[in-house]
Amino acid sequence: MSDQIKFIVDNLNKEPFRKNYNLITFDSLEPMQLLQVLNDVLAEIDPKQVVDIREEMPEQTAKRMLSLLGILKYKPPGNATDMSTFRQGLVIGSKPVIYPVLHWLLQRTNELKKRAYLARFLIKLEVPSEFLQDETVADTNKQYEELMEAFKTLHKECEQLKTSGFSTAEIRRDISAMEEEKDQLIKRVERLKKRVETVQNHQRMLKIARQLRVEKEREEFLAQQKQEQKNQVSS
């Protein structure tokens, strides 16, 4: 238990919570204060949970927390698998119930943030069958299901891109290197131009060089055409 409390306190004192607890002050929290700490951690995972629990009925708090913990797939340890006992522990702010929850949440906060985000789009709204007899409701429900499938596909592609090895930092470094190389080439061309300009009749020589390049390109084109004709004849 002491290791569990130490882990909880260490993480609550870090960003984004910055609680400034020690083992004694944390373990001395009143049940209502402990519930608020739990709620603050849940609110970090799902911003919709931002609530001052003093303004909420205890049963409503327990129901809300149980709903999110279910979405996050939390399983109470040991004999706390009796959900009525677990629920009652949430209502009264019981340490044996809340400490394990805090420990579990703080071990995987980033993973749970993603899970809570996806749940907003992937937990299907069940429409009663009698409502689906209405054509408009049925069409809307079909569109809803299609959009859900589209979201799954897009999210999967997004995750694949994130893990494909490309990163913004790497792309920026590549662009920076190419821009530096481009600047060096421009400077080299400028130096060569200055050297050429000092040569007598450089304009006439440049014109001859351009003509030579054009003739070489024409020669390569004719050779390629000749080879293609040979290939056609041989086939």
Side-chain angles (χ1 to χ4, degrees):
M1 177 67 79
S2 59
D3 289 341
Q4 186 182 73
I5 296 175
K6 186 177 185 306
F7 177 84
I8 293 170
V9 169
D10 287 345
N11 281 273
L12 288 176
N13 288 341
K14 296 175 184 175
E15 292 286 350
F17 306 108
R18 295 185 295 176
K19 293 292 187 180
N20 198 29
Y21 291 131
N22 58 45
L23 296 178
I24 296 172
T25 55
F26 177 74
D27 201 41
S28 302
L29 291 176
E30 296 293 326
M32 184 69 77
Q33 293 173 313
L34 187 57
L35 271 174
Q36 186 63 58
V37 171
L38 174 58
N39 197 83
D40 292 345
V41 175
L42 290 173
E44 175 61 25
I45 292 167
D46 178 8
K48 292 188 294 182
Q49 306 298 317
V50 176
V51 171
D52 184 340
I53 62 171
R54 293 173 299 181
E55 300 174 0
E56 191 175 47
M57 295 296 292
E59 284 294 331
Q60 187 179 352
T61 300
K63 183 179 180 181
R64 178 173 54 79
M65 289 182 174
L66 279 170
S67 175
L68 180 57
L69 289 172
I71 290 170
L72 300 178
K73 299 181 181 178
Y74 175 73
K75 295 181 180 178
N79 57 10
T81 49
D82 180 353
M83 288 308 296
S84 62
T85 303
F86 182 73
R87 182 189 182 93
Q88 185 61 27
L90 282 179
V91 171
I92 65 174
S94 168
K95 291 179 184 179
V97 169
I98 293 179
Y99 282 5
V101 179
L102 281 172
H103 186 258
W104 185 82
L105 294 173
L106 293 169
Q107 281 180 311
R108 47 182 65 79
T109 305
N110 288 333
E111 173 194 336
L112 296 176
K113 280 183 181 181
K114 185 186 295 185
R115 193 174 294 174
Y117 168 76
L118 292 176
R120 292 163 52 193
F121 306 97
L122 299 182
I123 293 181
K124 188 176 178 182
L125 178 66
E126 295 296 337
V127 181
S129 57
E130 58 268 25
F131 290 172
L132 292 174
Q133 302 304 315
D134 183 281
E135 187 176 341
T136 304
V137 174
D139 287 344
T140 303
N141 187 63
K142 184 181 177 182
Q143 291 175 25
Y144 164 69
E145 291 176 347
E146 288 172 352
L147 286 170
M148 184 179 288
E149 291 303 316
F151 174 81
K152 287 179 184 177
T153 302
L154 287 172
H155 181 264
K156 185 177 179 181
E157 291 174 357
C158 180
E159 290 300 305
Q160 287 173 345
L161 281 172
K162 286 180 182 178
T163 58
S164 63
F166 292 102
S167 70
T168 306
E170 288 174 351
I171 293 171
R172 285 200 185 111
R173 282 197 297 269
D174 288 343
I175 292 172
S176 179
M178 285 188 286
E179 287 177 344
E180 187 177 344
E181 187 176 348
K182 177 186 171 186
D183 290 341
Q184 290 174 354
L185 286 170
I186 290 171
K187 289 176 183 176
R188 191 179 301 170
V189 169
E190 289 297 322
R191 286 198 300 269
L192 288 171
K193 281 175 67 177
K194 287 178 181 178
R195 287 174 59 185
V196 169
E197 286 170 0
T198 61
V199 178
Q200 192 175 6
N201 297 325
H202 71 275
Q203 289 290 351
R204 181 169 174 273
M205 293 176 68
L206 284 172
K207 183 178 178 181
I208 293 170
R210 282 194 290 268
Q211 289 174 342
L212 178 61
R213 188 184 70 241
V214 170
E215 289 302 320
K216 281 188 174 181
E217 289 175 354
R218 178 174 172 76
E219 183 182 355
E220 289 173 2
F221 174 73
L222 290 172
Q224 184 180 351
Q225 274 193 329
K226 185 178 179 181
Q227 185 61 46
E228 288 176 356
Q229 289 171 355
K230 282 184 178 179
N231 291 342
Q232 288 175 357
V233 170
S234 61
S235 61

